[in-house]
Amino acid sequence: MTKIIVITSGKGGVGKTTTSASFAVGLAKKGYKTAVIDFDIGLRNLDLIMGCERRVVYDFVNVIRKEANLNQALIRDKHIKDLFILPASQTRDKEALTIEGVGLILAELNKTFDYIVCDSPAGIERGAQLAMYFADSAIVVTNPEVSSVRDSDRMLGLLTSKTKRAEEGRDPIEEHLLLTRYSPKRVTRGEMLSLSDVNEILAIPLLGVIPESPAVLRASNSGEPVILAEESDAGQAYADAIGRFLGEEIPHRFIAEKNHWLKRLLRFKEKEAI
């Protein structure tokens, strides 16, 4: 049975599209036929991160308006045969999306795909609400800062009240927390919220912690999802998150400062010497 996943947050710039791209790649690498859809009409970015911007001929809105069929608009990923991208339109406004049109596209994708990843725009406007409306699972992406966490808390309220599952009285959407741009060193210095602070506020299961890493920017600029940078901390953290989503027991990494135990031991030795 096809599972629809929405990647969402209340705030822009937290790494939703980076997460959508890496999550879709990770699922496809595990052997699941996966489609990833860009819901950010007017601000198309997913195709850039996936490295397929030059191959866009038809887009999401073209299919909704029956100016092209779904097969014409879907772009096969150049790295993984079981991964397809449905890009957003750069020239239409967000009103071009309709609940009926989105529903028909998802129903068509349901026939052949195992997973559908919906890359939501930030905030609570139409595109974001349609991205979450049909979802079975939600990955709430947040940075360890107060405004980002507060806005994510608002999105959790919408996930429990403004979705098809909520309207039909079915089981609620599965909620997962993905904490991005996390730096244990900066947490120690009091420059960002700790993992426990974020968990206390949002109180949803932790899927993964993505460390602050220059590999993310390098991957975006090169048009390759960071999960493909397998030697990087961020790439490994996304791979771990995919495994946990699929039910694997994987311990969390990148949540403590490297060599932190050694620093504490040295401080203890210094106190003893005094």
Side-chain angles (χ1 to χ4, degrees), residues 142 144 149-150 153 156 177 179 182 193-206:
T142 190
V149 175
R150 180 196 61 198
D153 203 23
L156 291 175
L177 171 64
L179 185 59
Y182 192 71
L193 297 177
S194 69
L195 176 58
S196 60
D197 292 333
V198 177
N199 273 330
E200 186 176 344
I201 296 167
L202 298 181
I204 58 174
L206 178 66

PDB file of all heavy atoms in Angstrom, residues 142 144 149-150 153 156 177 179 182 193-206:
ATOM      1  N   THR A 142      12.669  21.055  11.910  1.00  0.00           N
ATOM      2  CA  THR A 142      12.860  22.283  12.686  1.00  0.00           C
ATOM      3  C   THR A 142      14.331  22.491  12.983  1.00  0.00           C
ATOM      4  O   THR A 142      15.112  21.544  13.042  1.00  0.00           O
ATOM      5  CB  THR A 142      12.043  22.240  13.995  1.00  0.00           C
ATOM      6  OG1 THR A 142      12.052  23.520  14.616  1.00  0.00           O
ATOM      7  CG2 THR A 142      12.595  21.215  14.966  1.00  0.00           C
ATOM      8  N   PRO A 144      17.111  24.230  15.814  1.00  0.00           N
ATOM      9  CA  PRO A 144      17.104  24.397  17.271  1.00  0.00           C
ATOM     10  C   PRO A 144      17.093  25.869  17.690  1.00  0.00           C
ATOM     11  O   PRO A 144      18.001  26.367  18.351  1.00  0.00           O
ATOM     12  CB  PRO A 144      18.399  23.695  17.700  1.00  0.00           C
ATOM     13  CG  PRO A 144      19.292  23.806  16.529  1.00  0.00           C
ATOM     14  CD  PRO A 144      18.428  23.787  15.314  1.00  0.00           C
ATOM     15  N   VAL A 149      10.971  26.330  16.328  1.00  0.00           N
ATOM     16  CA  VAL A 149      10.251  25.331  17.124  1.00  0.00           C
ATOM     17  C   VAL A 149       8.814  25.774  17.382  1.00  0.00           C
ATOM     18  O   VAL A 149       7.874  24.972  17.279  1.00  0.00           O
ATOM     19  CB  VAL A 149      10.990  25.065  18.448  1.00  0.00           C
ATOM     20  CG1 VAL A 149      10.189  24.115  19.332  1.00  0.00           C
ATOM     21  CG2 VAL A 149      12.375  24.475  18.182  1.00  0.00           C
ATOM     22  N   ARG A 150       8.625  27.056  17.668  1.00  0.00           N
ATOM     23  CA  ARG A 150       7.268  27.573  17.896  1.00  0.00           C
ATOM     24  C   ARG A 150       6.401  27.396  16.652  1.00  0.00           C
ATOM     25  O   ARG A 150       5.245  26.964  16.729  1.00  0.00           O
ATOM     26  CB  ARG A 150       7.348  29.055  18.274  1.00  0.00           C
ATOM     27  CG  ARG A 150       5.986  29.709  18.532  1.00  0.00           C
ATOM     28  CD  ARG A 150       6.102  31.208  18.523  1.00  0.00           C
ATOM     29  NE  ARG A 150       6.583  31.686  17.228  1.00  0.00           N
ATOM     30  CZ  ARG A 150       7.103  32.890  17.032  1.00  0.00           C
ATOM     31  NH1 ARG A 150       7.241  33.734  18.032  1.00  0.00           N
ATOM     32  NH2 ARG A 150       7.497  33.250  15.816  1.00  0.00           N
ATOM     33  N   ASP A 153       5.379  23.854  16.149  1.00  0.00           N
ATOM     34  CA  ASP A 153       4.296  23.485  17.057  1.00  0.00           C
ATOM     35  C   ASP A 153       2.941  23.867  16.454  1.00  0.00           C
ATOM     36  O   ASP A 153       1.958  23.134  16.586  1.00  0.00           O
ATOM     37  CB  ASP A 153       4.501  24.183  18.406  1.00  0.00           C
ATOM     38  CG  ASP A 153       3.796  23.461  19.548  1.00  0.00           C
ATOM     39  OD1 ASP A 153       3.533  22.253  19.428  1.00  0.00           O
ATOM     40  OD2 ASP A 153       3.511  24.112  20.568  1.00  0.00           O
ATOM     41  N   LEU A 156       1.947  21.261  13.953  1.00  0.00           N
ATOM     42  CA  LEU A 156       1.412  20.048  14.584  1.00  0.00           C
ATOM     43  C   LEU A 156      -0.086  20.187  14.839  1.00  0.00           C
ATOM     44  O   LEU A 156      -0.843  19.220  14.699  1.00  0.00           O
ATOM     45  CB  LEU A 156       2.150  19.760  15.890  1.00  0.00           C
ATOM     46  CG  LEU A 156       3.610  19.318  15.746  1.00  0.00           C
ATOM     47  CD1 LEU A 156       4.256  19.191  17.116  1.00  0.00           C
ATOM     48  CD2 LEU A 156       3.708  17.996  14.994  1.00  0.00           C
ATOM     49  N   LEU A 177       9.827  13.931  14.277  1.00  0.00           N
ATOM     50  CA  LEU A 177      10.628  15.146  14.390  1.00  0.00           C
ATOM     51  C   LEU A 177      11.991  14.931  13.748  1.00  0.00           C
ATOM     52  O   LEU A 177      12.677  13.938  14.030  1.00  0.00           O
ATOM     53  CB  LEU A 177      10.819  15.520  15.868  1.00  0.00           C
ATOM     54  CG  LEU A 177      11.811  16.644  16.169  1.00  0.00           C
ATOM     55  CD1 LEU A 177      11.342  17.961  15.564  1.00  0.00           C
ATOM     56  CD2 LEU A 177      12.009  16.791  17.679  1.00  0.00           C
ATOM     57  N   LEU A 179      15.412  17.162  13.504  1.00  0.00           N
ATOM     58  CA  LEU A 179      16.090  18.375  13.959  1.00  0.00           C
ATOM     59  C   LEU A 179      17.305  18.616  13.074  1.00  0.00           C
ATOM     60  O   LEU A 179      18.207  17.771  12.999  1.00  0.00           O
ATOM     61  CB  LEU A 179      16.505  18.203  15.422  1.00  0.00           C
ATOM     62  CG  LEU A 179      17.118  19.405  16.128  1.00  0.00           C
ATOM     63  CD1 LEU A 179      16.151  20.593  16.125  1.00  0.00           C
ATOM     64  CD2 LEU A 179      17.487  19.040  17.564  1.00  0.00           C
ATOM     65  N   TYR A 182      22.021  21.092  13.681  1.00  0.00           N
ATOM     66  CA  TYR A 182      22.284  20.963  15.115  1.00  0.00           C
ATOM     67  C   TYR A 182      23.786  20.954  15.377  1.00  0.00           C
ATOM     68  O   TYR A 182      24.542  20.245  14.699  1.00  0.00           O
ATOM     69  CB  TYR A 182      21.659  19.669  15.641  1.00  0.00           C
ATOM     70  CG  TYR A 182      21.606  19.555  17.134  1.00  0.00           C
ATOM     71  CD1 TYR A 182      20.732  20.334  17.880  1.00  0.00           C
ATOM     72  CD2 TYR A 182      22.427  18.652  17.816  1.00  0.00           C
ATOM     73  CE1 TYR A 182      20.666  20.220  19.263  1.00  0.00           C
ATOM     74  CE2 TYR A 182      22.369  18.532  19.188  1.00  0.00           C
ATOM     75  CZ  TYR A 182      21.482  19.323  19.913  1.00  0.00           C
ATOM     76  OH  TYR A 182      21.422  19.210  21.271  1.00  0.00           O
ATOM     77  N   LEU A 193      18.990  25.971  21.102  1.00  0.00           N
ATOM     78  CA  LEU A 193      18.255  25.057  21.980  1.00  0.00           C
ATOM     79  C   LEU A 193      18.891  23.673  21.952  1.00  0.00           C
ATOM     80  O   LEU A 193      19.426  23.245  20.939  1.00  0.00           O
ATOM     81  CB  LEU A 193      16.797  24.954  21.538  1.00  0.00           C
ATOM     82  CG  LEU A 193      15.946  26.228  21.602  1.00  0.00           C
ATOM     83  CD1 LEU A 193      14.550  25.950  21.056  1.00  0.00           C
ATOM     84  CD2 LEU A 193      15.864  26.765  23.018  1.00  0.00           C
ATOM     85  N   SER A 194      18.805  22.977  23.067  1.00  0.00           N
ATOM     86  CA  SER A 194      19.292  21.597  23.121  1.00  0.00           C
ATOM     87  C   SER A 194      18.232  20.659  22.570  1.00  0.00           C
ATOM     88  O   SER A 194      17.053  21.021  22.424  1.00  0.00           O
ATOM     89  CB  SER A 194      19.622  21.211  24.558  1.00  0.00           C
ATOM     90  OG  SER A 194      18.434  21.127  25.322  1.00  0.00           O
ATOM     91  N   LEU A 195      18.646  19.440  22.297  1.00  0.00           N
ATOM     92  CA  LEU A 195      17.711  18.414  21.832  1.00  0.00           C
ATOM     93  C   LEU A 195      16.601  18.198  22.851  1.00  0.00           C
ATOM     94  O   LEU A 195      15.423  18.079  22.484  1.00  0.00           O
ATOM     95  CB  LEU A 195      18.463  17.113  21.576  1.00  0.00           C
ATOM     96  CG  LEU A 195      17.642  15.894  21.162  1.00  0.00           C
ATOM     97  CD1 LEU A 195      16.840  16.170  19.899  1.00  0.00           C
ATOM     98  CD2 LEU A 195      18.552  14.690  20.959  1.00  0.00           C
ATOM     99  N   SER A 196      16.940  18.172  24.120  1.00  0.00           N
ATOM    100  CA  SER A 196      15.916  17.965  25.155  1.00  0.00           C
ATOM    101  C   SER A 196      14.949  19.144  25.212  1.00  0.00           C
ATOM    102  O   SER A 196      13.750  18.954  25.458  1.00  0.00           O
ATOM    103  CB  SER A 196      16.574  17.738  26.522  1.00  0.00           C
ATOM    104  OG  SER A 196      17.367  18.848  26.887  1.00  0.00           O
ATOM    105  N   ASP A 197      15.433  20.368  24.965  1.00  0.00           N
ATOM    106  CA  ASP A 197      14.544  21.545  24.924  1.00  0.00           C
ATOM    107  C   ASP A 197      13.507  21.388  23.813  1.00  0.00           C
ATOM    108  O   ASP A 197      12.308  21.617  24.023  1.00  0.00           O
ATOM    109  CB  ASP A 197      15.349  22.825  24.657  1.00  0.00           C
ATOM    110  CG  ASP A 197      16.259  23.216  25.808  1.00  0.00           C
ATOM    111  OD1 ASP A 197      15.940  22.855  26.956  1.00  0.00           O
ATOM    112  OD2 ASP A 197      17.283  23.867  25.546  1.00  0.00           O
ATOM    113  N   VAL A 198      13.975  21.000  22.633  1.00  0.00           N
ATOM    114  CA  VAL A 198      13.076  20.851  21.491  1.00  0.00           C
ATOM    115  C   VAL A 198      12.088  19.715  21.733  1.00  0.00           C
ATOM    116  O   VAL A 198      10.882  19.850  21.462  1.00  0.00           O
ATOM    117  CB  VAL A 198      13.884  20.600  20.197  1.00  0.00           C
ATOM    118  CG1 VAL A 198      12.944  20.363  19.009  1.00  0.00           C
ATOM    119  CG2 VAL A 198      14.822  21.764  19.911  1.00  0.00           C
ATOM    120  N   ASN A 199      12.576  18.598  22.250  1.00  0.00           N
ATOM    121  CA  ASN A 199      11.694  17.464  22.553  1.00  0.00           C
ATOM    122  C   ASN A 199      10.619  17.838  23.555  1.00  0.00           C
ATOM    123  O   ASN A 199       9.460  17.409  23.442  1.00  0.00           O
ATOM    124  CB  ASN A 199      12.520  16.296  23.103  1.00  0.00           C
ATOM    125  CG  ASN A 199      13.076  15.405  22.002  1.00  0.00           C
ATOM    126  OD1 ASN A 199      12.476  15.268  20.951  1.00  0.00           O
ATOM    127  ND2 ASN A 199      14.229  14.802  22.250  1.00  0.00           N
ATOM    128  N   GLU A 200      10.989  18.636  24.537  1.00  0.00           N
ATOM    129  CA  GLU A 200      10.026  19.029  25.573  1.00  0.00           C
ATOM    130  C   GLU A 200       8.913  19.883  24.999  1.00  0.00           C
ATOM    131  O   GLU A 200       7.747  19.752  25.371  1.00  0.00           O
ATOM    132  CB  GLU A 200      10.757  19.792  26.686  1.00  0.00           C
ATOM    133  CG  GLU A 200       9.862  20.127  27.881  1.00  0.00           C
ATOM    134  CD  GLU A 200      10.640  20.787  29.004  1.00  0.00           C
ATOM    135  OE1 GLU A 200      11.887  20.716  29.007  1.00  0.00           O
ATOM    136  OE2 GLU A 200       9.993  21.384  29.882  1.00  0.00           O
ATOM    137  N   ILE A 201       9.247  20.759  24.043  1.00  0.00           N
ATOM    138  CA  ILE A 201       8.249  21.654  23.456  1.00  0.00           C
ATOM    139  C   ILE A 201       7.343  20.919  22.474  1.00  0.00           C
ATOM    140  O   ILE A 201       6.109  21.057  22.512  1.00  0.00           O
ATOM    141  CB  ILE A 201       8.939  22.838  22.747  1.00  0.00           C
ATOM    142  CG1 ILE A 201       9.700  23.699  23.772  1.00  0.00           C
ATOM    143  CG2 ILE A 201       7.902  23.708  22.012  1.00  0.00           C
ATOM    144  CD1 ILE A 201      10.659  24.687  23.140  1.00  0.00           C
ATOM    145  N   LEU A 202       7.923  20.126  21.580  1.00  0.00           N
ATOM    146  CA  LEU A 202       7.136  19.496  20.512  1.00  0.00           C
ATOM    147  C   LEU A 202       6.572  18.134  20.899  1.00  0.00           C
ATOM    148  O   LEU A 202       5.492  17.754  20.443  1.00  0.00           O
ATOM    149  CB  LEU A 202       7.982  19.378  19.245  1.00  0.00           C
ATOM    150  CG  LEU A 202       8.455  20.710  18.642  1.00  0.00           C
ATOM    151  CD1 LEU A 202       9.273  20.469  17.384  1.00  0.00           C
ATOM    152  CD2 LEU A 202       7.270  21.616  18.330  1.00  0.00           C
ATOM    153  N   ALA A 203       7.300  17.383  21.708  1.00  0.00           N
ATOM    154  CA  ALA A 203       6.805  16.107  22.257  1.00  0.00           C
ATOM    155  C   ALA A 203       6.290  15.142  21.191  1.00  0.00           C
ATOM    156  O   ALA A 203       5.215  14.567  21.317  1.00  0.00           O
ATOM    157  CB  ALA A 203       5.711  16.369  23.299  1.00  0.00           C
ATOM    158  N   ILE A 204       7.067  14.972  20.108  1.00  0.00           N
ATOM    159  CA  ILE A 204       6.762  13.946  19.109  1.00  0.00           C
ATOM    160  C   ILE A 204       8.019  13.088  18.920  1.00  0.00           C
ATOM    161  O   ILE A 204       9.128  13.526  19.238  1.00  0.00           O
ATOM    162  CB  ILE A 204       6.294  14.541  17.766  1.00  0.00           C
ATOM    163  CG1 ILE A 204       7.360  15.488  17.167  1.00  0.00           C
ATOM    164  CG2 ILE A 204       4.973  15.268  17.929  1.00  0.00           C
ATOM    165  CD1 ILE A 204       7.011  15.994  15.775  1.00  0.00           C
ATOM    166  N   PRO A 205       7.873  11.875  18.415  1.00  0.00           N
ATOM    167  CA  PRO A 205       9.026  10.971  18.306  1.00  0.00           C
ATOM    168  C   PRO A 205      10.147  11.550  17.450  1.00  0.00           C
ATOM    169  O   PRO A 205       9.910  12.103  16.370  1.00  0.00           O
ATOM    170  CB  PRO A 205       8.430   9.713  17.660  1.00  0.00           C
ATOM    171  CG  PRO A 205       6.975   9.757  18.002  1.00  0.00           C
ATOM    172  CD  PRO A 205       6.614  11.205  18.009  1.00  0.00           C
ATOM    173  N   LEU A 206      11.375  11.412  17.931  1.00  0.00           N
ATOM    174  CA  LEU A 206      12.547  11.917  17.230  1.00  0.00           C
ATOM    175  C   LEU A 206      12.977  10.923  16.149  1.00  0.00           C
ATOM    176  O   LEU A 206      13.304   9.779  16.448  1.00  0.00           O
ATOM    177  CB  LEU A 206      13.693  12.142  18.217  1.00  0.00           C
ATOM    178  CG  LEU A 206      15.014  12.622  17.611  1.00  0.00           C
ATOM    179  CD1 LEU A 206      14.863  14.026  17.037  1.00  0.00           C
ATOM    180  CD2 LEU A 206      16.133  12.580  18.656  1.00  0.00           C
TER     181      LEU A 206
END
